Amino acid sequence: MIIKDSFKNIEHSAKLLKQDKLVAIPTETVYGLAGNAYSEKAIQSIYEVKNRPAKNPLIVHIKNKNVISEIAKNIPEEAFKLADAFWPGPLTLVLEKQNHILPSLTANKSTVGVRMPNHEITLELLKKLDFPLVAPSANRSNHISPTTAEHVRSSLASKSPYILEGGVCKSGIESTIIGFKNGKPTLYRHGAIAKEEIEDVLNCSVVEISNDILPESPGMFKKHYSPNTPLLISKNVKKDLLRLNDKKIGIICFQNNLEDFNQNNLKVLSSKGNLKEAASKLYSTLHGFDNMGFDLILAEEMPNVGLGLAINDRLKRASFSEI
Ligand code: TXA
Ligand code: MG
C-alpha cells in the first residue's frame, strides 16, 4: 500500500516498526526496506521479502551523527571528517561494529555499514523511534533499485510492505560506501558522492577494491542492479545501431540526441552534460524501458570521471548477462 499523505502517517509507520514489521521509506538515494535494526525478526523479514542472500550485509540508518558510536567503535578520525562533510547524505561508512549489533545484520562480519539519510520524512520517522533502522534498497535482490514508491510496489509485488510516499529520490543512485581496510580509506561502492569529493575532504587518495577479488561488499558482485531486458554498453551508439538494426532497441544516451532515431525509444540522461543529473535519471529510465518490450537496451558509456564512474559501474553490472 502506498501512503500518499506521508507526514500524517509517520506515527503509524513508527507503530508498525515498533511491532517488528517492515516499512518502505524514502531516502535521497533510493527507497529503503526498513525494519528495527535491533530486531532479529525484522532483519529476517528483510532478507525474506527481498530474497536476499544472507551473506549480503545491511546498512544501518541513524537519526543524527551522535548515534554513530552506538553502532560502531574505534572510529577513525577520517570517518568523523566524512560524516561532518556529508551527513545527512548519501555516504555509508563501514566501521568496526559494536558487540550488540546482530550478526545477521552484518552477515557475520566484524564491520557494519552506517549512514544518516537526508530525507525529511525519514528523518522525522527516525526521531520517533528509539532504535535505528536497517534498510537495504527496497527491490527484489539483484534487480533495479527503486527511485519512486511505485517502483517499490512493482518490484516487491505481493510482498510489498506499507510504503511511505516521499516523491522521486533526488540522487537516484545508492550511497557511496567507504571503509577503512587496514586503516586506509577504501571505496567499496561508487555512489552518489564522487570519489574525488571524498578525496578532497580527506586530502588523500582513496583505495578502490578491485572487482576481480572476492567482493568485500556484495553490492560489488558482478551481476547486480539488472533490468529484465538485456543491456549492452556502447562506446559508439550510432555504429552499434547499424550493426543491431534488426532488433527493437531502447537507447540511453548521456547528452547526445540522436535526431534521426525514434525519440520514443530514446532517453537522454542530461542534455546539459551534467553527470549528477544523469545519475539521478538512470534507474527510472531502466525501470521505464524494462516495461517497453525492447529486445535490447543500448546504453552509452558515460565519461569515466565523477558520477560517471558510478553510472558506468551500474551499467556494467546490469549488462553482465550479455545477449
Ligand atoms: O543509498 C543506499 O545506500 C540505500 C538506501 C536505502 O540507504 N541502501 C542500499 O542498501 O543501497 P543495499 O542493501 O541495497 O546495499 C548495501 C550495500 C551492499 O552492497 C552491502 O554489501 C554493503 O552495503 N555493506 C553493508 N555492510 C557492509 C560491510 N560491513 N562491509 C562491506 N560492505 C557492506
Ligand atoms: Mg541494493
Side-chain angles (χ1 to χ4, degrees), residues 50 52 136-137 139 145 174 189 224-225:
K50 274 184 66 89
R52 182 181 177 104
S137 51
N139 52 283
S145 296
E174 294 87 348
R189 177 175 73 184
H224 213 90
Y225 313 105

Side-chain angles (χ1 to χ4, degrees), residues 280-296:
S280 74
K281 293 191 180 152
L282 177 68
Y283 288 151
S284 53
T285 301
L286 290 175
H287 278 285
F289 273 15
D290 229 6
N291 296 324
M292 287 176 68
F294 292 125
D295 299 325
L296 178 72

Side-chain angles (χ1 to χ4, degrees), residues 25-33 50 52 55-61 90-95 105-107 109-115 117 135-139 145 173-177 188-189 216-221 224-225 314:
I25 54 165
T27 83
E28 78 282 28
T29 58
V30 300
Y31 277 73
L33 180 64
K50 274 184 66 89
R52 182 181 177 104
K55 63 183 176 201
N56 191 353
L58 306 170
I59 295 174
V60 177
H61 293 63
L91 171 76
T92 295
L93 294 170
V94 170
L95 302 167
L105 188 159
T106 66
K109 283 173 178 283
S110 57
T111 53
V112 61
V114 57
R115 84 177 190 100
S137 51
N139 52 283
S145 296
I173 197 158
E174 294 87 348
S175 60
T176 301
I177 304 182
Y188 288 155
R189 177 175 73 184
E216 195 69 29
S217 181
M220 301 295 270
F221 278 132
H224 213 90
Y225 313 105
R314 302 304 190 273

